[in-house]
Amino acid sequence: GEDVEQSLFLSVREGDSSVINCTYTDSSSTYLYWYKQEPGAGLQLLTYIFSNMDMKQDQRLTVLLNKKDKHLSLRIADTQTGDSAIYFCAHLPNNAGNMLTFGGGTRLMVKP
Amino acid sequence: EPEVTQTPSHQVTQMGQEVILRCVPISNHLYFYWYRQILGQKVEFLVSFYNNEISEKSEIFDDQFSVERPDGSNFTLKIRSTKLEDSAMYFCASGGGLQETQYFGPGTRLLVL
């Protein structure tokens, strides 16, 4: 079945850029999402990209999609301590109705 | 900004007991979902619900699970006879249409003893 993979952990210094990566196996994608989970909280939608796009920018967030390599990334510019959280990518394959498939999450730690 | 809400935030139950987890989706949404996240594991899809019936379900969603929309605002997940392995964070989500963005609630942490 569909598999979505992320690295487990990323540590950056405040003010630096963070890049969180995600790979997926099913090429029949429609939308790909980034969700943020702060400790004890739910899944907050950060941004999403449609599969016919290569890039989407939203303030400090830039999403890059390489469909050929099935690779999605989230870049956070000027990372702040409040960005410390777990970031999940999620994939909605074209033939999967509304079943989101999630990666395991990347824990971002921002050091002051 | 409208949001999905869930109650309770935490629930502790004994193995074999029934639990009902409650969700209030965003009011103009038509699609409703339950996902779960076992500690240290990925978020997994359980079920989707549209037009008062289940539209998709995963292998996890067996006969012990059921969903209901008892009125115009609530969406519930019932686990008939809980098992230890049902301990997880359960997330409700709602969306405006087929393959539209899903907005998640804060989750209910269920602990089965």
Side-chain angles (χ1 to χ4, degrees), chain A residues 6 17-24 29-36 44-67 70-77 87-91:
Chain A
Q6 299 178 239
S17 292
S18 308
V19 179
I20 301 171
N21 295 301
C22 172
T23 58
Y24 58 96
S29 57
T30 53
Y31 290 95
L32 296 110
Y33 299 88
W34 285 103
Y35 286 88
K36 175 184 180 183
Q44 174 197 352
L45 176 70
L46 279 181
T47 187
Y48 64 92
I49 189 167
F50 190 55
S51 58
N52 67 354
M53 298 168 65
D54 297 324
M55 186 182 90
K56 180 178 179 183
Q57 187 149 3
D58 185 359
Q59 299 182 337
R60 291 191 298 124
L61 304 179
T62 303
V63 179
L64 294 177
L65 175 60
N66 182 328
K67 280 193 73 175
K70 298 177 198 167
H71 181 266
L72 180 75
S73 68
L74 174 70
R75 179 176 179 270
I76 306 172
Y87 290 80
F88 292 92
C89 72
H91 179 221

Side-chain angles (χ1 to χ4, degrees), chain A residues 3-4 35 45 96-98 100, chain B residues 33 35 42 56 99 101-102:
Chain A
D3 200 17
V4 181
Y35 286 88
L45 176 70
N98 278 359
L100 278 175
Chain B
Y33 311 89
Y35 290 79
K42 293 184 178 183
E56 296 161 296
Q99 299 211 323
T101 300
Q102 297 177 28

Side-chain angles (χ1 to χ4, degrees), chain B residues 32-55:
Chain B
F32 315 113
Y33 311 89
W34 286 99
Y35 290 79
R36 80 171 183 192
Q37 184 183 27
I38 295 172
L39 190 64
Q41 297 186 23
K42 293 184 178 183
V43 177
E44 302 171 289
F45 172 84
L46 292 178
V47 66
S48 64
F49 191 85
Y50 169 71
N51 201 26
N52 279 320
E53 60 184 26
I54 291 173
S55 48

Side-chain angles (χ1 to χ4, degrees), chain B residues 9-21:
Chain B
S9 58
H10 294 78
Q11 177 140 8
V12 181
T13 190
Q14 295 289 326
M15 193 169 56
Q17 295 295 304
E18 174 184 286
V19 295
I20 298 176
L21 310 182

Side-chain angles (χ1 to χ4, degrees), chain B residues 35-80:
Chain B
Y35 290 79
R36 80 171 183 192
Q37 184 183 27
I38 295 172
L39 190 64
Q41 297 186 23
K42 293 184 178 183
V43 177
E44 302 171 289
F45 172 84
L46 292 178
V47 66
S48 64
F49 191 85
Y50 169 71
N51 201 26
N52 279 320
E53 60 184 26
I54 291 173
S55 48
E56 296 161 296
K57 60 182 182 179
S58 69
E59 291 173 355
I60 304 166
F61 194 88
D62 62 21
D63 292 345
Q64 291 300 310
F65 291 89
S66 62
V67 289
E68 193 179 26
R69 188 152 163 82
D71 52 46
S73 60
N74 289 284
F75 179 52
T76 61
L77 174 70
K78 183 194 290 187
I79 309 175
R80 256 180 275 283

